[in-house]
Amino acid sequence: KSGLVKANLDLQDDLAEQKEISYFQAEQLHHFTESLKTELESKQDNILGLEDIILEKEQKIEAMDSEQKDEANKVALLLQQVSTLKVEKKELSNALTECEHAL
């Protein structure tokens, strides 16, 4: 009998330990999720800011003469940055969705 009692107590200890580990992992996942949300919001703000700049630059380009073509190149670079940020935002959004499903 004492062997069964000891095995039962060992199982209870293992279960308690696993619950602690699961709680710890859930906490880590929660913090990671919050971090991703913050980063995602930051990316969105960057995208909106750059899109405003692009709109201004595009309006200036419409009115410019040929000497101001380097401004057009700057806009092209900004468009590329926005595109890259949108990809990063999508990746973060996907990661966030996975984390939220895991919670």
Side-chain angles (χ1 to χ4, degrees):
K1 249 185 181 179
S2 69
L4 286 176
V5 170
K6 179 166 177 13
N8 189 3
L9 290 174
D10 287 346
L11 283 174
Q12 288 178 2
D13 286 347
D14 287 349
L15 184 59
E17 190 177 313
Q18 285 191 352
K19 282 183 182 176
E20 279 182 39
I21 290 170
S22 294
Y23 177 77
F24 177 71
Q25 288 172 334
E27 279 292 306
Q28 283 186 316
L29 187 57
H30 175 72
H31 289 304
F32 183 65
T33 300
E34 291 303 311
S35 173
L36 283 177
K37 284 181 184 176
T38 302
E39 194 172 341
L40 191 59
E41 289 169 6
S42 174
K43 295 275 185 207
Q44 181 61 32
D45 290 345
N46 287 344
I47 288 169
L48 293 175
L50 286 172
E51 285 177 337
D52 287 344
I53 291 170
I54 288 168
L55 187 59
E56 288 175 29
K57 300 280 186 195
E58 285 175 337
Q59 290 167 350
K60 285 181 182 179
I61 288 170
E62 289 173 11
M64 76 181 190
D65 56 287
S66 61
E67 296 170 359
Q68 298 170 319
K69 290 294 182 195
D70 67 339
E71 198 73 5
N73 291 333
K74 289 178 186 174
V75 170
L77 286 173
L78 285 171
L79 284 167
Q80 192 174 22
Q81 286 178 329
V82 167
S83 178
T84 300
L85 282 169
K86 283 183 177 181
V87 169
E88 291 175 3
K89 178 188 167 202
K90 179 75 173 149
E91 290 170 352
L92 282 169
S93 183
N94 290 342
L96 179 60
T97 300
E98 288 180 27
C99 285
E100 287 174 339
H101 284 287
L103 290 174

